[in-house]
Amino acid sequence: MTKRAIVTGGTAGIGFENVKTLLHRGYSVTALGRNPSKLSEVIEALPNKEKQLAFLSCDFSDLNQVSEAANYLRQHQWDVLINNAGAKVESPKKQTVQGFEWHTGVNHLAHFYLTSQIWDAAADSARMLTVSSIVARTHVMTTSNEAAMSTADHYAKSKRENLLFGLTVARKLKNTNQSSTVAHPGFTRASRYGASWVRPVEYLLAQPARRGSETVLRGLDESNGSYIGPAVLELWGKPKPAKLPSELLDETEQNKFWKETEEKLGIRFRLN
């Protein structure tokens, strides 16, 4: 029986590379994104396999669209979920449709909500992989006051939430056949974002999206609770275990984070 994979943000960058690799591995893939035309390259590169690829339009800044996507996705059992979609550092400050801070809303809350709505359709051996960022550990916040945070602060906070989400799910799945891992791609070329000077720097120093995808997908092969990043300074190179902020492994901190997220979304998410 063909295994089914779901990839959010599957039409560009690392997510796009993830989709292509999973198709080559024989998965039936549903890619979520905002631009279906970008998937034509995948279909052309994989003749006779287009029936294994489906596109689902979904804007992660609107939980109503995420809910509609979840209604479709949970109709069929899935084996792999890659929570990859995400907003980069975007200025000026803005909010999602439901009024959440943009980076937390798109990067964390939308994925927490999607996962909660489709978890009942997860296979007994399902694997969830969440994509974080090196800034989840390295970024120095300018303030703890959310209203005064810079957009860079908000982005780093959202990627830390991604990491904490993946680790908390891993703890909750302990002693089951399901698993949750987290990975970050290091310094990898992405869709355009930030100031104009970022692009030439990224072009010269960043590794290609394909290499970043290799690091991310390595997470699917690792044990529950693993965190993977590039080998060289966690910026470039082959995948290896990444450094984990010890406080994110604290069960009290994880439970507080989980409850606060549930309250923001007005839901209850029970894995088992």
Side-chain angles (χ1 to χ4, degrees):
M1 182 178 178
T2 301
K3 291 188 175 182
R4 182 168 176 247
I6 300 166
V7 181
T8 71
T11 61
I14 293 169
F16 190 38
E17 296 298 326
N18 291 343
V19 168
K20 290 194 287 186
T21 300
L22 289 169
L23 286 169
H24 277 297
R25 291 183 182 181
Y27 282 88
S28 171
V29 181
T30 300
L32 280 70
R34 291 180 295 181
N35 189 351
S37 64
K38 291 182 180 179
L39 285 179
S40 60
E41 178 185 332
V42 180
I43 296 173
E44 291 173 4
L46 296 164
N48 302 320
K49 289 190 176 181
E50 50 267 54
K51 290 184 179 179
Q52 291 181 248
L53 175 62
F55 174 79
L56 196 58
S57 180
C58 183
D59 185 339
F60 273 62
S61 68
D62 185 354
L63 291 180
N64 291 326
Q65 291 194 34
V66 176
S67 180
E68 290 177 4
N71 287 337
Y72 170 81
L73 293 170
R74 63 177 171 228
Q75 294 177 27
H76 306 282
Q77 179 175 282
W78 56 268
D79 301 274
V80 167
L81 169 62
I82 301 182
N83 286 324
N84 165 79
K88 301 297 182 183
V89 180
E90 297 185 22
S91 297
K93 292 181 180 181
K94 54 185 176 180
Q95 295 182 331
T96 66
V97 172
Q98 282 71 34
F100 297 112
E101 189 282 321
W102 183 259
H103 300 87
T104 287
V106 172
N107 296 350
H108 167 55
L109 295 177
H111 283 104
F112 188 101
Y113 183 74
L114 176 71
T115 307
S116 73
Q117 299 302 297
I118 67 173
W119 194 262
D120 286 347
D124 291 340
S125 58
R127 302 184 68 83
M128 183 184 88
L129 172 62
T130 304
V131 180
S132 183
S133 167
I134 189 174
V135 301
R137 177 178 62 83
T138 62
H139 181 78
V140 178
M141 304 294 284
T142 59
T143 177
S144 59
N145 179 0
E146 290 196 22
M149 283 181 181
S150 66
T151 53
D153 286 337
H154 280 297
Y155 173 72
K157 175 177 175 290
S158 73
K159 301 315 288 183
R160 189 177 177 89
E161 289 166 333
N162 287 153
L163 177 53
L164 189 50
F165 175 44
L167 295 174
T168 305
V169 172
R171 176 177 60 81
K172 291 176 178 289
L173 293 179
K174 189 177 180 181
N175 300 321
T176 75
N177 291 324
Q178 297 173 324
S179 69
S180 168
T181 54
V182 187
H184 78 77
F187 190 17
T188 297
R189 290 177 199 140
S191 302
R192 292 181 179 274
Y193 72 97
S196 59
W197 61 264
V198 171
R199 298 308 297 180
V201 172
E202 186 179 63
Y203 179 81
L204 290 171
L205 299 178
Q207 60 186 1
R210 175 185 52 77
R211 176 56 64 85
S213 172
E214 290 172 1
T215 299
V216 168
L217 288 178
R218 174 67 174 271
L220 291 179
D221 302 322
E222 298 296 322
S223 59
N224 185 44
S226 295
Y227 183 37
I228 304 298
V232 182
L233 302 176
E234 290 194 33
L235 293 173
W236 310 279
K238 296 182 179 180
K240 63 171 288 187
K243 294 180 181 179
L244 266 174
S246 58
E247 65 272 16
L248 299 191
L249 296 172
D250 180 76
E251 186 171 340
T252 300
E253 178 69 17
Q254 290 181 354
N255 289 338
K256 177 183 177 183
F257 159 79
W258 196 270
K259 183 178 180 180
E260 288 177 349
T261 301
E262 287 182 324
E263 290 176 348
K264 286 179 181 178
L265 293 170
I267 62 171
R268 297 292 295 274
F269 182 10
R270 295 294 178 264
L271 290 158
N272 44 45

